[in-house]
Amino acid sequence: MSAAAVLEATPTSARTPRGLIHTVLRLHRGALWIWLAFVTATAGFLLWLLGPGADTAQRALESYGYSGLIMANGSADEYSSLFYYPDTLITLASFAVALFAGGPLIARELESGTAQLAWTQSVSPARWLTAKLAVPAASILLGTTLLTVLYHQLWAAHSDLLIAGIGPRSLYFSLGPATVAAPLLGLALGALIGLTARRTLPALAFSGSAYFLVYAFRGNHWPFQGRYQQPELSSRSRAFTSAGTEIRDPGCYDDKACLAQHDVVRFTREYLPSSDYWPRQLLETGVLLALTAVAVALAFGLLRRRAATG
């Protein structure tokens, strides 16, 4: 459909702020449905991990302690691996947001001339870009907040089932407001690159590359996740006798005779809180939001110059 046909088919009421939002929803409903499906599927996976998915590993921990997690025929280790999958999915979603913003959301309309034609009517460039960013930003904010809250609930309930190492600490430091801010930065970067490139395919390539650089920097520099430099997250394991007395883990593994000798009936384990969690979370979130604000400001400035020069 040509740019003229799109605008002609759009009623005057659709060129108001509310109408612009409705138009963005209609034009990009496919992407919104994909996002909704992603959030729903990932939330369902998190709920499964929170409930029935943890049963086997939880029984192994309670019966044999941390050694039970290691020796439970691979099932506990499998659960520990599954625990990280939603984090990977959320990270990939941030890349997808950047690609979408750079390509279909911004660059394609500039390339086809739809945006320029809209600007000659009652839609100002600033209102056009505001509507383009507001709708996906609201969807991203709601979706990632829901997933982060569920992930935090999963950590609170079953982080004790994770096999020790760098992984638990990296995950622990990725479950906070910075997880919500990261895709918003992807959206802003994609929009800025889309306005700069003004062609769909180059915008897709540059948006993906730019967000990859941001992700790589976050993974290796303080106060970000720093997954390659971090020590392990401290943990505490406890064993309890039939009288409820807490004793040192005797290290019986799955030897029932050894467990009976020490009168051990139950084990617990927990990762200890880290004193630098909230300082790092808040600082990282602040940096990401500041970069998002800079990218949005640059995008509006670039748009004003482009509109002024025709």
Side-chain angles (χ1 to χ4, degrees), residues 48-49 51-83 154 157-163 267-269:
W48 179 80
L49 290 172
D55 288 348
T56 300
Q58 189 67 51
R59 286 196 299 270
L61 172 65
E62 292 174 354
S63 300
Y64 305 115
Y66 183 60
S67 58
L69 293 178
I70 305 297
M71 301 180 64
N73 298 321
S75 59
D77 184 56
E78 179 182 354
Y79 179 81
S80 183
S81 299
L82 291 175
F83 208 101
L154 178 61
H158 295 311
S159 61
D160 55 346
L161 303 180
L162 293 177
I163 304 302
F267 291 88
T268 64
R269 180 172 177 268

Coordinates of all heavy atoms in Angstrom, one line a residue, residues 48-49 51-83 154 157-163 267-269:
W48 N 5.7 -22.5 35.8 CA 6.0 -24.0 35.8 C 7.2 -24.2 36.6 O 7.3 -25.2 37.5 CB 6.1 -24.5 34.4 CG 6.5 -26.0 34.4 CD1 5.6 -27.0 34.5 CD2 7.8 -26.6 34.2 NE1 6.3 -28.2 34.5 CE2 7.6 -28.0 34.3 CE3 9.1 -26.1 34.1 CZ2 8.7 -28.9 34.2 CZ3 10.1 -26.9 34.0 CH2 9.9 -28.3 34.0
L49 N 8.3 -23.4 36.4 CA 9.5 -23.6 37.2 C 9.2 -23.3 38.7 O 9.8 -23.9 39.6 CB 10.5 -22.6 36.7 CG 11.2 -22.9 35.4 CD1 12.1 -21.7 35.0 CD2 12.0 -24.2 35.4
G51 N 6.4 -24.0 40.2 CA 5.5 -25.0 40.8 C 6.0 -26.4 40.5 O 7.0 -26.9 41.0
P52 N 5.4 -27.2 39.6 CA 5.7 -28.6 39.4 C 7.1 -28.8 38.8 O 7.6 -29.9 39.1 CB 4.6 -29.0 38.4 CG 4.1 -27.8 37.7 CD 4.2 -26.7 38.8
G53 N 7.6 -27.9 38.1 CA 9.0 -28.1 37.6 C 10.1 -28.3 38.6 O 11.1 -28.9 38.3
A54 N 9.8 -27.8 39.8 CA 10.8 -27.8 40.9 C 10.7 -29.0 41.8 O 11.6 -29.3 42.6 CB 10.8 -26.6 41.7
D55 N 9.7 -29.8 41.6 CA 9.3 -30.9 42.6 C 10.5 -31.9 42.8 O 10.9 -32.2 43.9 CB 8.1 -31.6 42.2 CG 6.8 -30.8 42.4 OD1 6.9 -29.7 43.0 OD2 5.8 -31.2 41.8
T56 N 11.0 -32.4 41.7 CA 12.1 -33.4 41.8 C 13.3 -32.9 42.5 O 13.9 -33.5 43.4 CB 12.4 -34.0 40.4 OG1 11.3 -34.6 39.8 CG2 13.5 -35.1 40.5
A57 N 13.8 -31.7 42.0 CA 15.0 -31.1 42.6 C 14.7 -30.8 44.1 O 15.6 -30.9 44.9 CB 15.4 -29.9 41.8
Q58 N 13.5 -30.3 44.4 CA 13.2 -29.9 45.8 C 13.3 -31.1 46.7 O 13.8 -31.1 47.8 CB 11.9 -29.2 45.9 CG 11.5 -28.6 47.2 CD 12.5 -27.4 47.5 OE1 12.6 -26.5 46.7 NE2 13.1 -27.4 48.7
R59 N 12.7 -32.2 46.2 CA 12.8 -33.5 47.0 C 14.2 -34.0 47.2 O 14.6 -34.4 48.3 CB 11.9 -34.6 46.4 CG 10.4 -34.3 46.5 CD 9.7 -35.6 46.2 NE 9.9 -36.1 44.8 CZ 9.2 -35.7 43.8 NH1 8.1 -34.9 43.9 NH2 9.4 -36.1 42.6
A60 N 15.0 -33.8 46.2 CA 16.4 -34.3 46.3 C 17.2 -33.4 47.3 O 17.9 -33.9 48.1 CB 17.1 -34.1 44.9
L61 N 16.9 -32.1 47.4 CA 17.5 -31.2 48.3 C 17.1 -31.5 49.7 O 17.9 -31.7 50.7 CB 17.2 -29.8 48.0 CG 17.7 -28.7 49.0 CD1 19.2 -28.7 49.1 CD2 17.1 -27.3 48.7
E62 N 15.8 -31.7 49.9 CA 15.3 -31.9 51.3 C 15.8 -33.3 51.8 O 16.0 -33.4 53.0 CB 13.8 -31.9 51.3 CG 13.2 -30.5 51.0 CD 11.7 -30.5 50.9 OE1 11.1 -31.5 50.9 OE2 11.1 -29.3 50.8
S63 N 15.9 -34.3 50.9 CA 16.3 -35.6 51.4 C 17.8 -35.8 51.6 O 18.2 -36.4 52.6 CB 15.8 -36.7 50.4 OG 14.4 -36.6 50.2
Y64 N 18.6 -35.2 50.7 CA 20.0 -35.5 50.8 C 20.9 -34.2 50.8 O 22.1 -34.4 50.7 CB 20.4 -36.3 49.5 CG 19.6 -37.6 49.4 CD1 18.8 -37.8 48.4 CD2 19.7 -38.6 50.4 CE1 18.0 -39.0 48.2 CE2 19.0 -39.8 50.3 CZ 18.1 -40.0 49.2 OH 17.4 -41.1 49.1
G65 N 20.3 -33.1 50.9 CA 21.1 -31.9 50.9 C 21.7 -31.5 49.6 O 21.2 -31.9 48.5
Y66 N 22.7 -30.6 49.6 CA 23.2 -30.1 48.3 C 23.8 -31.2 47.5 O 23.7 -31.2 46.3 CB 24.3 -29.1 48.6 CG 24.9 -28.5 47.4 CD1 24.1 -27.8 46.4 CD2 26.3 -28.6 47.1 CE1 24.6 -27.2 45.3 CE2 26.8 -28.0 45.9 CZ 26.0 -27.3 45.1 OH 26.5 -26.8 43.9
S67 N 24.3 -32.3 48.1 CA 24.9 -33.4 47.4 C 23.8 -34.1 46.6 O 24.0 -34.7 45.6 CB 25.5 -34.4 48.4 OG 24.6 -34.8 49.4
G68 N 22.5 -34.0 47.2 CA 21.4 -34.6 46.5 C 21.1 -33.9 45.2 O 20.7 -34.6 44.2
L69 N 21.3 -32.6 45.2 CA 21.1 -31.9 43.9 C 22.1 -32.3 42.8 O 21.8 -32.4 41.7 CB 21.3 -30.4 44.1 CG 20.2 -29.7 45.0 CD1 20.6 -28.2 45.2 CD2 18.8 -29.8 44.4
I70 N 23.3 -32.6 43.3 CA 24.4 -33.0 42.3 C 24.1 -34.4 41.8 O 24.4 -34.7 40.7 CB 25.8 -32.9 43.0 CG1 26.0 -31.5 43.6 CG2 26.8 -33.3 42.0 CD1 26.0 -30.4 42.6
M71 N 23.6 -35.3 42.7 CA 23.5 -36.7 42.4 C 22.1 -37.2 42.0 O 22.0 -38.4 41.8 CB 24.0 -37.5 43.6 CG 25.4 -37.2 44.0 SD 26.0 -38.2 45.4 CE 25.9 -39.8 44.7
A72 N 21.2 -36.3 41.9 CA 19.8 -36.8 41.6 C 19.6 -37.2 40.2 O 18.6 -36.7 39.5 CB 18.8 -35.7 42.1
N73 N 20.4 -38.1 39.7 CA 20.2 -38.6 38.3 C 20.1 -37.5 37.2 O 19.4 -37.7 36.2 CB 19.0 -39.5 38.2 CG 19.1 -40.7 39.2 OD1 20.2 -41.3 39.3 ND2 18.1 -41.0 39.9
G74 N 20.7 -36.4 37.5 CA 20.7 -35.3 36.5 C 19.5 -34.5 36.5 O 19.5 -33.4 35.9
S75 N 18.5 -34.8 37.2 CA 17.2 -34.1 37.2 C 17.4 -32.7 37.8 O 16.9 -31.7 37.4 CB 16.1 -34.8 37.9 OG 16.4 -35.1 39.2
A76 N 18.1 -32.7 38.9 CA 18.3 -31.4 39.6 C 19.2 -30.5 38.8 O 18.9 -29.3 38.7 CB 19.0 -31.6 41.0
D77 N 20.3 -31.0 38.2 CA 21.1 -30.2 37.3 C 20.3 -29.7 36.1 O 20.5 -28.6 35.7 CB 22.3 -31.0 36.9 CG 23.3 -30.2 36.1 OD1 23.8 -29.2 36.6 OD2 23.6 -30.6 35.0
E78 N 19.4 -30.5 35.6 CA 18.6 -30.1 34.5 C 17.7 -28.9 35.0 O 17.5 -27.9 34.2 CB 17.7 -31.2 34.1 CG 16.8 -30.9 32.9 CD 15.9 -32.0 32.5 OE1 16.1 -33.1 33.0 OE2 15.0 -31.8 31.7
Y79 N 17.1 -29.0 36.2 CA 16.3 -27.9 36.7 C 17.2 -26.6 36.8 O 16.7 -25.5 36.5 CB 15.7 -28.2 38.0 CG 14.8 -27.1 38.6 CD1 13.5 -26.9 38.1 CD2 15.3 -26.3 39.5 CE1 12.8 -25.9 38.6 CE2 14.6 -25.2 40.0 CZ 13.3 -25.1 39.6 OH 12.5 -24.0 40.1
S80 N 18.4 -26.8 37.3 CA 19.3 -25.6 37.5 C 19.5 -25.0 36.1 O 19.6 -23.7 36.0 CB 20.6 -26.1 38.1 OG 21.5 -25.0 38.3
S81 N 19.7 -25.8 35.1 CA 19.9 -25.2 33.7 C 18.6 -24.5 33.2 O 18.7 -23.4 32.7 CB 20.3 -26.3 32.7 OG 21.5 -26.9 33.1
L82 N 17.5 -25.1 33.4 CA 16.2 -24.5 33.0 C 16.0 -23.2 33.7 O 15.3 -22.3 33.1 CB 15.0 -25.4 33.3 CG 15.0 -26.7 32.5 CD1 13.8 -27.6 33.0 CD2 14.8 -26.4 31.0
F83 N 16.5 -23.0 34.9 CA 16.3 -21.8 35.7 C 16.8 -20.6 35.0 O 16.2 -19.5 35.1 CB 17.0 -22.0 37.0 CG 16.5 -21.2 38.2 CD1 15.7 -21.8 39.1 CD2 16.7 -19.8 38.3 CE1 15.2 -21.1 40.2 CE2 16.2 -19.1 39.4 CZ 15.5 -19.7 40.3
L154 N 10.4 -16.6 41.7 CA 11.1 -17.9 41.5 C 12.4 -17.9 42.2 O 12.7 -18.9 42.9 CB 11.3 -18.1 40.0 CG 12.1 -19.4 39.6 CD1 11.3 -20.6 40.0 CD2 12.3 -19.4 38.1
A157 N 11.8 -18.4 45.9 CA 11.3 -19.7 46.2 C 12.3 -20.9 46.0 O 12.3 -21.8 46.8 CB 10.0 -20.0 45.4
H158 N 13.1 -20.8 44.9 CA 13.8 -22.0 44.5 C 15.3 -21.7 44.1 O 15.9 -22.5 43.5 CB 13.2 -22.7 43.4 CG 11.8 -23.2 43.7 ND1 11.6 -24.0 44.8 CD2 10.6 -23.1 43.1 CE1 10.3 -24.4 44.9 NE2 9.7 -23.8 43.8
S159 N 15.8 -20.5 44.5 CA 17.2 -20.3 44.2 C 18.1 -21.3 44.9 O 19.3 -21.6 44.4 CB 17.7 -18.9 44.6 OG 17.5 -18.7 46.0
D160 N 17.6 -21.9 46.0 CA 18.4 -22.9 46.7 C 18.7 -24.2 45.8 O 19.5 -25.0 46.2 CB 17.7 -23.3 48.0 CG 16.3 -23.8 47.8 OD1 15.7 -23.6 46.7 OD2 15.7 -24.4 48.7
L161 N 18.0 -24.3 44.7 CA 18.1 -25.5 43.9 C 19.2 -25.3 42.8 O 19.4 -26.2 41.9 CB 16.8 -25.8 43.2 CG 15.6 -26.1 44.2 CD1 14.4 -26.5 43.4 CD2 16.0 -27.2 45.2
L162 N 19.8 -24.1 42.7 CA 20.8 -23.8 41.7 C 22.1 -24.4 42.1 O 22.6 -24.3 43.2 CB 20.9 -22.3 41.5 CG 19.7 -21.6 40.9 CD1 19.9 -20.1 40.8 CD2 19.4 -22.1 39.5
I163 N 22.8 -24.9 41.1 CA 24.2 -25.4 41.3 C 25.1 -24.2 41.5 O 25.0 -23.3 40.7 CB 24.6 -26.3 40.2 CG1 23.6 -27.5 39.9 CG2 26.0 -26.9 40.4 CD1 23.4 -28.4 41.1
F267 N 17.1 -31.3 55.0 CA 18.2 -30.3 54.6 C 17.5 -29.0 54.1 O 16.4 -29.1 53.5 CB 19.1 -30.8 53.5 CG 20.0 -32.0 54.0 CD1 19.5 -33.3 53.9 CD2 21.2 -31.7 54.4 CE1 20.3 -34.3 54.3 CE2 22.1 -32.8 54.8 CZ 21.6 -34.1 54.8
T268 N 18.2 -27.9 54.3 CA 17.8 -26.7 53.6 C 19.1 -26.0 53.1 O 20.2 -26.3 53.5 CB 17.1 -25.7 54.5 OG1 18.0 -25.3 55.6 CG2 15.8 -26.3 55.1
R269 N 18.9 -25.1 52.2 CA 20.0 -24.3 51.6 C 19.5 -23.0 51.1 O 18.4 -22.9 50.6 CB 20.6 -25.2 50.4 CG 21.8 -24.5 49.7 CD 22.4 -25.5 48.8 NE 23.5 -25.0 48.0 CZ 23.3 -24.4 46.8 NH1 22.1 -24.3 46.2 NH2 24.4 -23.9 46.2

